[in-house]
Amino acid sequence: MTTEITASETVLPGMMRHWKESTSRFAEAFEQHIGHLPQMVPMTDAELREVIDACNAAVAPFGKSVSDERWISYMDVVRWSQSARHIRDMEAFKAVCILNCVTFVWDDMDPALHDFAVFLPELRKICQKYYDEEDARFAYEGARAFVTSDHMFRNSPIKEVLCNTSPEQYFRFRVTDVGVDFWMKMSYPIYQHPEFTEHAKSGLAARMTTRGLAIVNDFYSYDREIALGQITNCFRLCDVSNQDAFDEFFQERMDDIVEDIQCIKSFDEITRDVLMDLIYGNFVWTTSNKRYKAAVNNVNSRIQ
């Protein structure tokens, strides 16, 4: 006797089996607890071209070719996740687009090809061009710390321990590793707001948003990262093939995000809006961007 399995009963591989339900739960939580849907920051054709040309110049020392489509895919996370309603400095916004894009390339390259000697000076030049002296110093230090952390921990026993012990240890590591502290230190000049500037410089803003960013990123990156043998994913701490175990773990992570959002609401109005637009905008970008539509495609594959 054989049992026929219908299409509706087919078990999808990896995280895809949870995609529809979990996406709905993310969306409902953000709508309920944040409410204000983020808006994509508009850019002119000339601004887009300036950013793409600057990105190509920054990665030229690697001898790599990156398509406009891939640059725009990277760039759109900035356009969705920066708070369009509070932007005051478009030059700083372009700087964030460039820094974000070129560090995406860094992350997507084979670790053996990483070369600080050619990359860090390019990051410094970007910062010096678009920011004033003090802001350039903070932006460059954020960028330097991010890529240095990535370089140091790619195959480190420290990373192995922090990523495999508990969610608490994992998210401590991800403050730097996922680039949230870098994001804050390159972003505060966009808003020219004293309170947010200090929260960004101190590291508090990064810590308040890391779980909301990393959990979303980890869910939608899971299949790609498993395929690449990468361990920086909180969902490796549960058995995603076991529905009950996954549901319990996912709910705990949703509780983490909601707790952080409720705390963010106590900040001043500008800081509150900027941080919540970042969390919500990252989700909008992630669920709409080609980078997350397949485990491997032409905007997320390894750059050879």
Side-chain angles (χ1 to χ4, degrees):
M1 180 178 177
T2 60
T3 302
E4 293 186 0
I5 299 177
T6 66
S8 62
E9 294 172 329
T10 300
V11 177
L12 294 170
M15 196 62 85
M16 288 303 298
R17 74 190 72 192
H18 305 296
W19 204 97
K20 183 177 180 180
E21 166 98 13
S22 297
T23 298
S24 294
R25 291 175 68 184
F26 278 131
E28 289 168 4
F30 292 137
E31 182 178 355
Q32 177 183 351
H33 296 285
I34 295 178
H36 188 284
L37 191 68
Q39 301 299 310
M40 190 182 215
V41 178
M43 296 180 73
T44 66
D45 289 345
E47 288 169 334
L48 287 169
R49 191 71 256 163
E50 178 185 344
V51 168
I52 291 171
D53 288 348
C55 291
N56 283 322
V59 301
F62 291 133
K64 303 300 178 185
S65 177
V66 179
S67 68
D68 285 4
E69 180 186 13
R70 190 165 185 139
W71 285 131
I72 290 171
S73 175
Y74 294 150
M75 195 189 312
D76 280 354
V77 68
V78 181
R79 298 181 66 189
W80 273 112
S81 301
Q82 297 291 1
S83 188
R85 49 189 159 155
H86 295 303
I87 289 178
R88 296 184 63 183
D89 187 337
M90 197 62 188
E91 289 299 297
F93 178 83
K94 287 187 287 188
V96 175
C97 288
I98 299 164
L99 291 169
N100 170 79
C101 287
V102 298
T103 50
F104 256 115
V105 167
W106 176 274
D107 193 52
D108 282 348
M109 286 197 307
D110 188 308
L113 302 176
H114 288 190
D115 186 353
F116 289 109
V118 300
F119 191 52
L120 292 181
E122 296 300 324
L123 296 180
R124 187 185 294 276
K125 284 192 289 187
I126 294 164
C127 296
Q128 291 173 338
K129 178 178 179 179
Y130 287 94
Y131 300 107
D132 67 24
E133 184 176 356
E134 180 178 354
D135 295 341
R137 181 167 57 85
F138 273 92
Y140 175 73
E141 175 53 29
R144 188 208 60 79
F146 172 58
V147 296
T148 302
S149 173
D150 175 77
H151 182 76
M152 287 175 59
F153 291 117
R154 281 276 178 142
N155 300 299
S156 166
I158 301 172
K159 179 177 180 177
E160 186 78 27
V161 170
L162 294 175
C163 289
N164 290 317
T165 298
S166 68
E168 289 74 22
Q169 302 304 329
Y170 174 80
F171 291 120
R172 287 190 180 101
F173 173 63
R174 291 291 265 171
V175 170
T176 299
D177 182 72
V178 82
V180 195
D181 191 59
F182 167 37
W183 180 280
M184 297 300 172
K185 287 176 179 173
M186 67 177 172
S187 295
Y188 74 78
I190 292 174
Y191 306 108
Q192 300 178 4
H193 185 261
E195 286 86 349
F196 177 68
T197 293
E198 292 309 314
H199 294 317
K201 287 180 175 179
S202 72
L204 179 59
R207 284 163 176 77
M208 294 305 303
T209 51
T210 292
R211 293 194 295 187
L213 295 170
I215 292 165
V216 168
N217 177 270
D218 288 356
F219 179 84
Y220 294 102
S221 297
Y222 180 86
D223 291 329
R224 175 177 180 264
E225 291 174 350
I226 292 298
L228 292 173
Q230 297 176 350
I231 67 170
T232 46
N233 194 298
C234 69
F235 290 96
R236 292 179 66 259
L237 294 168
C238 79
D239 181 0
V240 301
S241 66
N242 182 308
Q243 188 67 48
D244 289 340
F246 174 81
D247 287 343
E248 180 180 1
F249 188 86
F250 187 85
Q251 185 57 53
E252 289 172 352
R253 305 291 71 78
M254 291 303 303
D255 291 344
D256 289 341
I257 294 173
V258 171
E259 178 183 68
D260 290 344
I261 290 170
Q262 294 306 116
C263 291
I264 288 169
K265 289 179 179 179
S266 67
F267 284 66
D268 65 89
E269 180 183 357
I270 303 298
T271 300
R272 179 197 68 204
D273 289 352
V274 169
L275 299 186
M276 291 200 292
D277 282 349
L278 171 58
I279 293 171
Y280 203 168
N282 177 65
F283 169 74
V284 173
W285 171 73
T286 303
T287 52
S288 61
N289 193 270
K290 184 178 179 180
R291 183 173 176 84
Y292 298 93
K293 297 301 184 184
V296 179
N297 60 39
N298 67 319
V299 298
N300 72 11
S301 59
R302 279 290 188 202
I303 296 174
Q304 301 299 327

